Amino acid sequence: MNTNYLKKTSFLLLLMGFAFSFSSNAQIAGWNVDLEKDSNEKLAEMIQKVGKLQSFKDKAYGYAIYPKITKAGLVIGGAGGKGLVYKGKQIVASSKLGQASFGLQAGGQQYAEVIFFENQEAFDRFKSGKLKFNAQASATAITEGASADFSYQDGVAVFTMVAGGLMAEASVGGQHFSFDPVQ
């Protein structure tokens, strides 16, 4: 196969992936009146698939739920989504998740993510923008009937559930979060 053709095709796929990622992020970047409903429904779906998440929700100091994150990449990738932050049972902030990555990856997907905070210290790190996952960080993928031993690491536990697409990379390393308090 022609090397020049492969380069052009790869570049085109990369552009399409970024366009998809940014257009999806633009759609969810503004306030969305359905965000609370979407967040509650997605978390309920995650709990239905893995019942042990209910215990995390009940005992957590707080949590952040991102019902729809769009991720795309071809060597260089990005992800973005909007979610809500809860302290106890109250919404205290909206949040944006962003991620950039470089390395062996190809494709695109949409997924949901919930981050549980074990204590006030972990919550405050998130709130101040100091919670960042390193390159080796990964989340526990939620699958139907999964039964694994889940635990907090550094005061946080992260769970993801794929909604669609195919991505040959599954890490949360490099994620950054905003914290915009509810007025």
Side-chain angles (χ1 to χ4, degrees):
M1 192 171 264
N2 184 340
T3 307
N4 199 22
Y5 173 77
L6 286 175
K7 287 180 183 177
K8 288 180 182 177
T9 303
S10 296
F11 182 72
L12 180 61
L13 286 172
L14 179 64
L15 286 177
M16 288 173 38
F18 275 119
F20 175 72
S21 177
F22 291 125
S23 69
S24 293
N25 195 29
Q27 291 172 7
I28 60 178
W31 179 253
N32 180 342
V33 295
D34 294 327
L35 185 58
E36 183 177 1
K37 177 180 170 273
D38 294 344
S39 295
N40 289 333
E41 286 176 357
K42 191 55 71 174
L43 185 55
E45 182 182 349
M46 294 168 93
I47 290 170
Q48 180 182 6
K49 289 184 185 258
V50 178
K52 191 168 183 179
L53 291 185
Q54 184 66 53
S55 176
F56 274 88
K57 181 182 175 195
D58 292 343
K59 294 178 183 176
Y61 181 84
Y63 61 93
I65 176 78
Y66 302 89
K68 183 178 175 184
I69 300 168
T70 301
K71 184 175 196 172
L74 183 63
V75 181
I76 297 172
K82 186 167 175 68
L84 294 175
V85 181
Y86 290 77
K87 181 177 172 185
K89 296 184 186 328
Q90 298 292 325
I91 297 172
V92 295
S94 63
S95 178
K96 292 179 186 171
L97 175 153
Q99 179 179 6
S101 56
F102 179 81
L104 187 58
Q105 57 188 316
Q109 70 179 181
Q110 288 187 327
Y111 64 98
E113 180 171 309
V114 62
I115 305 169
F116 292 105
F117 307 106
E118 184 176 28
N119 50 42
Q120 183 175 351
E121 180 184 343
F123 185 83
D124 288 346
R125 275 196 337 264
F126 177 84
K127 185 177 170 180
S128 68
K130 293 180 181 170
L131 178 68
K132 295 177 179 71
F133 299 115
N134 66 30
Q136 290 78 34
S138 63
T140 302
I142 293 178
T143 57
E144 194 81 45
S147 60
D149 288 328
F150 307 125
S151 62
Y152 285 100
Q153 293 183 351
D154 294 324
V156 297
V158 182
F159 300 91
T160 62
M161 184 175 73
V162 174
L166 180 61
M167 186 79 177
E169 186 261 346
S171 72
V172 293
Q175 287 185 346
H176 299 274
F177 310 92
S178 70
F179 185 90
D180 303 309
V182 174
Q183 301 297 332

mmCIF file of all heavy atoms in Angstrom, residues 72-123:
data_model
loop_
_atom_site.group_PDB
_atom_site.id
_atom_site.type_symbol
_atom_site.label_atom_id
_atom_site.label_comp_id
_atom_site.label_asym_id
_atom_site.label_seq_id
_atom_site.Cartn_x
_atom_site.Cartn_y
_atom_site.Cartn_z
ATOM 1 N N ALA A 72 -11.613 10.604 21.300
ATOM 2 C CA ALA A 72 -11.184 10.211 19.962
ATOM 3 C C ALA A 72 -9.689 10.416 19.844
ATOM 4 O O ALA A 72 -9.117 11.296 20.483
ATOM 5 C CB ALA A 72 -11.912 11.042 18.898
ATOM 6 N N GLY A 73 -9.078 9.608 19.010
ATOM 7 C CA GLY A 73 -7.649 9.795 18.807
ATOM 8 C C GLY A 73 -7.065 8.853 17.787
ATOM 9 O O GLY A 73 -7.603 7.788 17.507
ATOM 10 N N LEU A 74 -5.987 9.300 17.231
ATOM 11 C CA LEU A 74 -5.155 8.496 16.353
ATOM 12 C C LEU A 74 -3.739 8.982 16.637
ATOM 13 O O LEU A 74 -3.325 10.020 16.137
ATOM 14 C CB LEU A 74 -5.530 8.693 14.889
ATOM 15 C CG LEU A 74 -4.753 7.833 13.895
ATOM 16 C CD1 LEU A 74 -5.034 6.357 14.156
ATOM 17 C CD2 LEU A 74 -5.136 8.180 12.473
ATOM 18 N N VAL A 75 -3.037 8.298 17.492
ATOM 19 C CA VAL A 75 -1.752 8.664 18.062
ATOM 20 C C VAL A 75 -1.931 9.845 19.030
ATOM 21 O O VAL A 75 -1.634 9.736 20.200
ATOM 22 C CB VAL A 75 -0.676 8.965 16.999
ATOM 23 C CG1 VAL A 75 0.648 9.305 17.673
ATOM 24 C CG2 VAL A 75 -0.509 7.791 16.050
ATOM 25 N N ILE A 76 -2.454 10.983 18.568
ATOM 26 C CA ILE A 76 -2.799 12.102 19.434
ATOM 27 C C ILE A 76 -4.299 12.044 19.656
ATOM 28 O O ILE A 76 -5.059 11.872 18.709
ATOM 29 C CB ILE A 76 -2.415 13.449 18.787
ATOM 30 C CG1 ILE A 76 -0.907 13.520 18.582
ATOM 31 C CG2 ILE A 76 -2.900 14.609 19.631
ATOM 32 C CD1 ILE A 76 -0.462 14.717 17.781
ATOM 33 N N GLY A 77 -4.716 12.184 20.905
ATOM 34 C CA GLY A 77 -6.140 12.073 21.187
ATOM 35 C C GLY A 77 -6.609 13.089 22.201
ATOM 36 O O GLY A 77 -5.819 13.801 22.815
ATOM 37 N N GLY A 78 -7.906 13.137 22.357
ATOM 38 C CA GLY A 78 -8.499 14.041 23.330
ATOM 39 C C GLY A 78 -9.846 13.524 23.765
ATOM 40 O O GLY A 78 -10.456 12.689 23.100
ATOM 41 N N ALA A 79 -10.283 14.006 24.914
ATOM 42 C CA ALA A 79 -11.593 13.631 25.437
ATOM 43 C C ALA A 79 -12.163 14.827 26.175
ATOM 44 O O ALA A 79 -11.418 15.675 26.677
ATOM 45 C CB ALA A 79 -11.478 12.441 26.385
ATOM 46 N N GLY A 80 -13.476 14.885 26.226
ATOM 47 C CA GLY A 80 -14.125 15.968 26.960
ATOM 48 C C GLY A 80 -15.539 15.603 27.330
ATOM 49 O O GLY A 80 -16.189 14.800 26.661
ATOM 50 N N GLY A 81 -15.994 16.177 28.426
ATOM 51 C CA GLY A 81 -17.361 15.959 28.868
ATOM 52 C C GLY A 81 -17.709 16.911 29.989
ATOM 53 O O GLY A 81 -16.840 17.564 30.562
ATOM 54 N N LYS A 82 -18.985 16.981 30.288
ATOM 55 C CA LYS A 82 -19.480 17.862 31.334
ATOM 56 C C LYS A 82 -20.234 17.024 32.351
ATOM 57 O O LYS A 82 -20.917 16.067 31.985
ATOM 58 C CB LYS A 82 -20.407 18.920 30.725
ATOM 59 C CG LYS A 82 -20.862 19.975 31.706
ATOM 60 C CD LYS A 82 -21.499 21.133 30.980
ATOM 61 C CE LYS A 82 -22.066 22.160 31.919
ATOM 62 N NZ LYS A 82 -21.091 22.892 32.677
ATOM 63 N N GLY A 83 -20.096 17.374 33.617
ATOM 64 C CA GLY A 83 -20.761 16.605 34.652
ATOM 65 C C GLY A 83 -21.143 17.463 35.836
ATOM 66 O O GLY A 83 -21.041 18.690 35.806
ATOM 67 N N LEU A 84 -21.591 16.778 36.878
ATOM 68 C CA LEU A 84 -22.012 17.429 38.115
ATOM 69 C C LEU A 84 -21.222 16.866 39.285
ATOM 70 O O LEU A 84 -20.834 15.692 39.278
ATOM 71 C CB LEU A 84 -23.504 17.205 38.355
ATOM 72 C CG LEU A 84 -24.440 17.852 37.347
ATOM 73 C CD1 LEU A 84 -25.879 17.448 37.630
ATOM 74 C CD2 LEU A 84 -24.294 19.366 37.353
ATOM 75 N N VAL A 85 -21.023 17.716 40.293
ATOM 76 C CA VAL A 85 -20.304 17.310 41.491
ATOM 77 C C VAL A 85 -21.283 17.352 42.663
ATOM 78 O O VAL A 85 -21.988 18.347 42.857
ATOM 79 C CB VAL A 85 -19.104 18.244 41.773
ATOM 80 C CG1 VAL A 85 -18.354 17.783 43.006
ATOM 81 C CG2 VAL A 85 -18.179 18.311 40.555
ATOM 82 N N TYR A 86 -21.305 16.268 43.405
ATOM 83 C CA TYR A 86 -22.188 16.132 44.568
ATOM 84 C C TYR A 86 -21.337 16.067 45.835
ATOM 85 O O TYR A 86 -20.290 15.413 45.855
ATOM 86 C CB TYR A 86 -23.008 14.844 44.477
ATOM 87 C CG TYR A 86 -24.062 14.845 43.403
ATOM 88 C CD1 TYR A 86 -23.720 14.659 42.067
ATOM 89 C CD2 TYR A 86 -25.406 15.012 43.726
ATOM 90 C CE1 TYR A 86 -24.700 14.648 41.074
ATOM 91 C CE2 TYR A 86 -26.381 15.004 42.753
ATOM 92 C CZ TYR A 86 -26.019 14.819 41.422
ATOM 93 O OH TYR A 86 -26.994 14.816 40.456
ATOM 94 N N LYS A 87 -21.817 16.723 46.874
ATOM 95 C CA LYS A 87 -21.250 16.577 48.212
ATOM 96 C C LYS A 87 -22.422 16.106 49.058
ATOM 97 O O LYS A 87 -23.421 16.825 49.185
ATOM 98 C CB LYS A 87 -20.713 17.907 48.714
ATOM 99 C CG LYS A 87 -20.087 17.849 50.083
ATOM 100 C CD LYS A 87 -19.526 19.208 50.464
ATOM 101 C CE LYS A 87 -19.065 19.230 51.893
ATOM 102 N NZ LYS A 87 -18.646 20.595 52.272
ATOM 103 N N GLY A 88 -22.314 14.889 49.555
ATOM 104 C CA GLY A 88 -23.477 14.274 50.181
ATOM 105 C C GLY A 88 -24.497 14.015 49.082
ATOM 106 O O GLY A 88 -24.181 13.435 48.055
ATOM 107 N N LYS A 89 -25.695 14.498 49.266
ATOM 108 C CA LYS A 89 -26.740 14.307 48.253
ATOM 109 C C LYS A 89 -27.055 15.596 47.501
ATOM 110 O O LYS A 89 -27.997 15.657 46.729
ATOM 111 C CB LYS A 89 -28.007 13.772 48.924
ATOM 112 C CG LYS A 89 -27.827 12.405 49.548
ATOM 113 C CD LYS A 89 -29.133 11.894 50.104
ATOM 114 C CE LYS A 89 -29.072 10.622 50.856
ATOM 115 N NZ LYS A 89 -28.155 9.610 50.548
ATOM 116 N N GLN A 90 -26.246 16.645 47.724
ATOM 117 C CA GLN A 90 -26.488 17.950 47.118
ATOM 118 C C GLN A 90 -25.524 18.229 45.968
ATOM 119 O O GLN A 90 -24.330 17.960 46.072
ATOM 120 C CB GLN A 90 -26.309 19.055 48.173
ATOM 121 C CG GLN A 90 -27.264 18.974 49.327
ATOM 122 C CD GLN A 90 -28.690 19.269 48.912
ATOM 123 O OE1 GLN A 90 -28.946 20.088 48.048
ATOM 124 N NE2 GLN A 90 -29.641 18.578 49.526
ATOM 125 N N ILE A 91 -26.053 18.803 44.895
ATOM 126 C CA ILE A 91 -25.200 19.262 43.801
ATOM 127 C C ILE A 91 -24.518 20.544 44.279
ATOM 128 O O ILE A 91 -25.182 21.491 44.689
ATOM 129 C CB ILE A 91 -26.023 19.554 42.529
ATOM 130 C CG1 ILE A 91 -26.687 18.277 42.027
ATOM 131 C CG2 ILE A 91 -25.140 20.181 41.454
ATOM 132 C CD1 ILE A 91 -27.675 18.505 40.902
ATOM 133 N N VAL A 92 -23.186 20.536 44.226
ATOM 134 C CA VAL A 92 -22.443 21.708 44.678
ATOM 135 C C VAL A 92 -21.700 22.410 43.538
ATOM 136 O O VAL A 92 -21.248 23.535 43.709
ATOM 137 C CB VAL A 92 -21.441 21.354 45.809
ATOM 138 C CG1 VAL A 92 -22.197 20.897 47.049
ATOM 139 C CG2 VAL A 92 -20.443 20.307 45.363
ATOM 140 N N ALA A 93 -21.569 21.738 42.384
ATOM 141 C CA ALA A 93 -20.825 22.349 41.282
ATOM 142 C C ALA A 93 -21.095 21.618 39.983
ATOM 143 O O ALA A 93 -21.544 20.466 39.966
ATOM 144 C CB ALA A 93 -19.329 22.311 41.571
ATOM 145 N N SER A 94 -20.813 22.311 38.898
ATOM 146 C CA SER A 94 -20.718 21.647 37.605
ATOM 147 C C SER A 94 -19.225 21.481 37.335
ATOM 148 O O SER A 94 -18.389 22.128 37.968
ATOM 149 C CB SER A 94 -21.398 22.462 36.500
ATOM 150 O OG SER A 94 -20.747 23.700 36.329
ATOM 151 N N SER A 95 -18.892 20.598 36.426
ATOM 152 C CA SER A 95 -17.486 20.310 36.178
ATOM 153 C C SER A 95 -17.294 19.923 34.720
ATOM 154 O O SER A 95 -18.169 19.308 34.107
ATOM 155 C CB SER A 95 -17.031 19.161 37.086
ATOM 156 O OG SER A 95 -15.686 18.820 36.843
ATOM 157 N N LYS A 96 -16.150 20.294 34.196
ATOM 158 C CA LYS A 96 -15.765 19.859 32.858
ATOM 159 C C LYS A 96 -14.544 18.967 32.991
ATOM 160 O O LYS A 96 -13.639 19.245 33.778
ATOM 161 C CB LYS A 96 -15.441 21.051 31.962
ATOM 162 C CG LYS A 96 -16.634 21.900 31.635
ATOM 163 C CD LYS A 96 -16.235 23.073 30.773
ATOM 164 C CE LYS A 96 -17.418 24.003 30.584
ATOM 165 N NZ LYS A 96 -17.012 25.252 29.935
ATOM 166 N N LEU A 97 -14.551 17.901 32.239
ATOM 167 C CA LEU A 97 -13.432 16.974 32.192
ATOM 168 C C LEU A 97 -12.753 17.152 30.853
ATOM 169 O O LEU A 97 -13.424 17.220 29.822
ATOM 170 C CB LEU A 97 -13.962 15.542 32.341
ATOM 171 C CG LEU A 97 -12.991 14.382 32.213
ATOM 172 C CD1 LEU A 97 -13.514 13.188 33.002
ATOM 173 C CD2 LEU A 97 -12.733 13.973 30.791
ATOM 174 N N GLY A 98 -11.453 17.247 30.855
ATOM 175 C CA GLY A 98 -10.682 17.311 29.621
ATOM 176 C C GLY A 98 -9.512 16.358 29.718
ATOM 177 O O GLY A 98 -8.986 16.104 30.809
ATOM 178 N N GLN A 99 -9.133 15.810 28.595
ATOM 179 C CA GLN A 99 -8.019 14.870 28.582
ATOM 180 C C GLN A 99 -7.308 14.970 27.247
ATOM 181 O O GLN A 99 -7.949 15.051 26.201
ATOM 182 C CB GLN A 99 -8.518 13.439 28.793
ATOM 183 C CG GLN A 99 -7.425 12.387 28.775
ATOM 184 C CD GLN A 99 -7.959 10.982 29.017
ATOM 185 O OE1 GLN A 99 -9.167 10.769 29.096
ATOM 186 N NE2 GLN A 99 -7.075 10.023 29.121
ATOM 187 N N ALA A 100 -6.007 14.983 27.297
ATOM 188 C CA ALA A 100 -5.187 14.918 26.093
ATOM 189 C C ALA A 100 -4.254 13.733 26.249
ATOM 190 O O ALA A 100 -3.805 13.426 27.350
ATOM 191 C CB ALA A 100 -4.387 16.198 25.915
ATOM 192 N N SER A 101 -4.006 13.055 25.157
ATOM 193 C CA SER A 101 -3.132 11.892 25.233
ATOM 194 C C SER A 101 -2.316 11.759 23.955
ATOM 195 O O SER A 101 -2.688 12.269 22.900
ATOM 196 C CB SER A 101 -3.945 10.621 25.486
ATOM 197 O OG SER A 101 -4.934 10.450 24.495
ATOM 198 N N PHE A 102 -1.207 11.089 24.088
ATOM 199 C CA PHE A 102 -0.322 10.835 22.961
ATOM 200 C C PHE A 102 0.223 9.428 23.127
ATOM 201 O O PHE A 102 0.633 9.043 24.215
ATOM 202 C CB PHE A 102 0.841 11.844 22.951
ATOM 203 C CG PHE A 102 1.805 11.629 21.820
ATOM 204 C CD1 PHE A 102 1.517 12.104 20.558
ATOM 205 C CD2 PHE A 102 2.980 10.932 22.020
ATOM 206 C CE1 PHE A 102 2.384 11.893 19.496
ATOM 207 C CE2 PHE A 102 3.855 10.715 20.973
ATOM 208 C CZ PHE A 102 3.563 11.209 19.712
ATOM 209 N N GLY A 103 0.186 8.650 22.077
ATOM 210 C CA GLY A 103 0.704 7.290 22.157
ATOM 211 C C GLY A 103 -0.114 6.341 21.314
ATOM 212 O O GLY A 103 -0.847 6.752 20.422
ATOM 213 N N LEU A 104 0.019 5.074 21.615
ATOM 214 C CA LEU A 104 -0.649 4.028 20.846
ATOM 215 C C LEU A 104 -2.145 4.041 21.135
ATOM 216 O O LEU A 104 -2.590 3.592 22.181
ATOM 217 C CB LEU A 104 -0.047 2.668 21.201
ATOM 218 C CG LEU A 104 -0.518 1.480 20.382
ATOM 219 C CD1 LEU A 104 -0.233 1.705 18.899
ATOM 220 C CD2 LEU A 104 0.153 0.215 20.855
ATOM 221 N N GLN A 105 -2.917 4.611 20.225
ATOM 222 C CA GLN A 105 -4.367 4.687 20.355
ATOM 223 C C GLN A 105 -4.971 4.932 18.982
ATOM 224 O O GLN A 105 -4.336 5.532 18.127
ATOM 225 C CB GLN A 105 -4.767 5.815 21.314
ATOM 226 C CG GLN A 105 -4.238 7.166 20.899
ATOM 227 C CD GLN A 105 -4.481 8.232 21.938
ATOM 228 O OE1 GLN A 105 -5.562 8.298 22.492
ATOM 229 N NE2 GLN A 105 -3.493 9.061 22.182
ATOM 230 N N ALA A 106 -6.156 4.446 18.790
ATOM 231 C CA ALA A 106 -6.862 4.662 17.528
ATOM 232 C C ALA A 106 -8.346 4.441 17.752
ATOM 233 O O ALA A 106 -8.749 3.484 18.396
ATOM 234 C CB ALA A 106 -6.355 3.695 16.461
ATOM 235 N N GLY A 107 -9.153 5.365 17.239
ATOM 236 C CA GLY A 107 -10.596 5.190 17.309
ATOM 237 C C GLY A 107 -11.293 6.297 18.074
ATOM 238 O O GLY A 107 -10.746 7.365 18.298
ATOM 239 N N GLY A 108 -12.515 5.993 18.466
ATOM 240 C CA GLY A 108 -13.320 6.947 19.208
ATOM 241 C C GLY A 108 -14.366 6.207 20.002
ATOM 242 O O GLY A 108 -14.737 5.082 19.668
ATOM 243 N N GLN A 109 -14.816 6.809 21.080
ATOM 244 C CA GLN A 109 -15.842 6.185 21.898
ATOM 245 C C GLN A 109 -16.511 7.233 22.774
ATOM 246 O O GLN A 109 -16.000 8.335 22.951
ATOM 247 C CB GLN A 109 -15.278 5.063 22.775
ATOM 248 C CG GLN A 109 -14.394 5.533 23.883
ATOM 249 C CD GLN A 109 -13.871 4.389 24.767
ATOM 250 O OE1 GLN A 109 -13.161 4.666 25.689
ATOM 251 N NE2 GLN A 109 -14.174 3.150 24.512
ATOM 252 N N GLN A 110 -17.649 6.845 23.302
ATOM 253 C CA GLN A 110 -18.316 7.637 24.317
ATOM 254 C C GLN A 110 -18.455 6.754 25.537
ATOM 255 O O GLN A 110 -18.711 5.545 25.424
ATOM 256 C CB GLN A 110 -19.678 8.119 23.839
ATOM 257 C CG GLN A 110 -19.558 9.207 22.795
ATOM 258 C CD GLN A 110 -20.890 9.819 22.442
ATOM 259 O OE1 GLN A 110 -21.902 9.154 22.452
ATOM 260 N NE2 GLN A 110 -20.868 11.101 22.137
ATOM 261 N N TYR A 111 -18.282 7.377 26.690
ATOM 262 C CA TYR A 111 -18.390 6.620 27.925
ATOM 263 C C TYR A 111 -18.842 7.541 29.045
ATOM 264 O O TYR A 111 -18.850 8.764 28.899
ATOM 265 C CB TYR A 111 -17.065 5.929 28.278
ATOM 266 C CG TYR A 111 -15.902 6.852 28.562
ATOM 267 C CD1 TYR A 111 -15.534 7.175 29.859
ATOM 268 C CD2 TYR A 111 -15.144 7.389 27.522
ATOM 269 C CE1 TYR A 111 -14.467 8.007 30.125
ATOM 270 C CE2 TYR A 111 -14.065 8.224 27.780
ATOM 271 C CZ TYR A 111 -13.733 8.529 29.083
ATOM 272 O OH TYR A 111 -12.672 9.357 29.336
ATOM 273 N N ALA A 112 -19.227 6.939 30.150
ATOM 274 C CA ALA A 112 -19.595 7.674 31.358
ATOM 275 C C ALA A 112 -18.521 7.400 32.399
ATOM 276 O O ALA A 112 -17.868 6.353 32.371
ATOM 277 C CB ALA A 112 -20.949 7.204 31.874
ATOM 278 N N GLU A 113 -18.349 8.345 33.319
ATOM 279 C CA GLU A 113 -17.342 8.180 34.365
ATOM 280 C C GLU A 113 -17.887 8.746 35.669
ATOM 281 O O GLU A 113 -18.522 9.797 35.677
ATOM 282 C CB GLU A 113 -16.056 8.905 33.975
ATOM 283 C CG GLU A 113 -14.935 8.803 34.997
ATOM 284 C CD GLU A 113 -13.617 9.354 34.471
ATOM 285 O OE1 GLU A 113 -13.205 8.961 33.367
ATOM 286 O OE2 GLU A 113 -13.017 10.201 35.162
ATOM 287 N N VAL A 114 -17.645 8.026 36.748
ATOM 288 C CA VAL A 114 -17.975 8.519 38.080
ATOM 289 C C VAL A 114 -16.711 8.430 38.931
ATOM 290 O O VAL A 114 -15.970 7.455 38.852
ATOM 291 C CB VAL A 114 -19.161 7.761 38.726
ATOM 292 C CG1 VAL A 114 -18.862 6.294 38.923
ATOM 293 C CG2 VAL A 114 -19.569 8.397 40.051
ATOM 294 N N ILE A 115 -16.466 9.492 39.681
ATOM 295 C CA ILE A 115 -15.322 9.555 40.587
ATOM 296 C C ILE A 115 -15.879 9.735 41.990
ATOM 297 O O ILE A 115 -16.557 10.726 42.276
ATOM 298 C CB ILE A 115 -14.397 10.740 40.251
ATOM 299 C CG1 ILE A 115 -13.951 10.679 38.794
ATOM 300 C CG2 ILE A 115 -13.192 10.757 41.193
ATOM 301 C CD1 ILE A 115 -13.263 11.950 38.322
ATOM 302 N N PHE A 116 -15.620 8.763 42.860
ATOM 303 C CA PHE A 116 -16.056 8.847 44.251
ATOM 304 C C PHE A 116 -14.899 9.375 45.098
ATOM 305 O O PHE A 116 -13.755 8.962 44.918
ATOM 306 C CB PHE A 116 -16.492 7.468 44.776
ATOM 307 C CG PHE A 116 -17.745 6.957 44.134
ATOM 308 C CD1 PHE A 116 -17.695 5.953 43.183
ATOM 309 C CD2 PHE A 116 -18.987 7.477 44.490
ATOM 310 C CE1 PHE A 116 -18.850 5.479 42.589
ATOM 311 C CE2 PHE A 116 -20.150 6.999 43.901
ATOM 312 C CZ PHE A 116 -20.075 6.001 42.949
ATOM 313 N N PHE A 117 -15.226 10.270 46.018
ATOM 314 C CA PHE A 117 -14.237 10.841 46.926
ATOM 315 C C PHE A 117 -14.467 10.240 48.307
ATOM 316 O O PHE A 117 -15.540 10.405 48.888
ATOM 317 C CB PHE A 117 -14.358 12.368 46.970
ATOM 318 C CG PHE A 117 -14.306 12.984 45.595
ATOM 319 C CD1 PHE A 117 -15.454 13.489 45.008
ATOM 320 C CD2 PHE A 117 -13.128 13.016 44.871
ATOM 321 C CE1 PHE A 117 -15.430 14.039 43.748
ATOM 322 C CE2 PHE A 117 -13.083 13.564 43.597
ATOM 323 C CZ PHE A 117 -14.234 14.074 43.037
ATOM 324 N N GLU A 118 -13.449 9.590 48.824
ATOM 325 C CA GLU A 118 -13.577 8.880 50.098
ATOM 326 C C GLU A 118 -13.688 9.827 51.288
ATOM 327 O O GLU A 118 -14.356 9.516 52.276
ATOM 328 C CB GLU A 118 -12.351 7.978 50.288
ATOM 329 C CG GLU A 118 -12.396 7.111 51.508
ATOM 330 C CD GLU A 118 -11.207 6.168 51.584
ATOM 331 O OE1 GLU A 118 -10.129 6.481 51.048
ATOM 332 O OE2 GLU A 118 -11.380 5.109 52.191
ATOM 333 N N ASN A 119 -13.064 10.991 51.189
ATOM 334 C CA ASN A 119 -13.016 11.893 52.328
ATOM 335 C C ASN A 119 -12.914 13.345 51.851
ATOM 336 O O ASN A 119 -12.795 13.613 50.655
ATOM 337 C CB ASN A 119 -11.836 11.537 53.243
ATOM 338 C CG ASN A 119 -10.539 11.403 52.458
ATOM 339 O OD1 ASN A 119 -10.247 12.194 51.559
ATOM 340 N ND2 ASN A 119 -9.760 10.377 52.777
ATOM 341 N N GLN A 120 -12.943 14.265 52.814
ATOM 342 C CA GLN A 120 -12.896 15.687 52.482
ATOM 343 C C GLN A 120 -11.576 16.056 51.807
ATOM 344 O O GLN A 120 -11.556 16.885 50.901
ATOM 345 C CB GLN A 120 -13.102 16.540 53.734
ATOM 346 C CG GLN A 120 -13.131 18.020 53.414
ATOM 347 C CD GLN A 120 -13.441 18.896 54.603
ATOM 348 O OE1 GLN A 120 -13.801 18.416 55.664
ATOM 349 N NE2 GLN A 120 -13.297 20.197 54.419
ATOM 350 N N GLU A 121 -10.489 15.458 52.224
ATOM 351 C CA GLU A 121 -9.184 15.762 51.626
ATOM 352 C C GLU A 121 -9.187 15.476 50.122
ATOM 353 O O GLU A 121 -8.737 16.300 49.318
ATOM 354 C CB GLU A 121 -8.083 14.950 52.319
ATOM 355 C CG GLU A 121 -6.703 15.209 51.746
ATOM 356 C CD GLU A 121 -5.637 14.310 52.380
ATOM 357 O OE1 GLU A 121 -5.870 13.725 53.448
ATOM 358 O OE2 GLU A 121 -4.560 14.202 51.764
ATOM 359 N N ALA A 122 -9.695 14.316 49.720
ATOM 360 C CA ALA A 122 -9.757 13.973 48.295
ATOM 361 C C ALA A 122 -10.706 14.914 47.556
ATOM 362 O O ALA A 122 -10.410 15.361 46.437
ATOM 363 C CB ALA A 122 -10.206 12.523 48.124
ATOM 364 N N PHE A 123 -11.838 15.224 48.178
ATOM 365 C CA PHE A 123 -12.805 16.148 47.583
ATOM 366 C C PHE A 123 -12.175 17.529 47.386
ATOM 367 O O PHE A 123 -12.323 18.157 46.333
ATOM 368 C CB PHE A 123 -14.060 16.244 48.461
ATOM 369 C CG PHE A 123 -15.153 17.077 47.878
ATOM 370 C CD1 PHE A 123 -16.039 16.538 46.954
ATOM 371 C CD2 PHE A 123 -15.306 18.406 48.246
ATOM 372 C CE1 PHE A 123 -17.061 17.305 46.401
ATOM 373 C CE2 PHE A 123 -16.328 19.188 47.709
ATOM 374 C CZ PHE A 123 -17.198 18.634 46.781
#
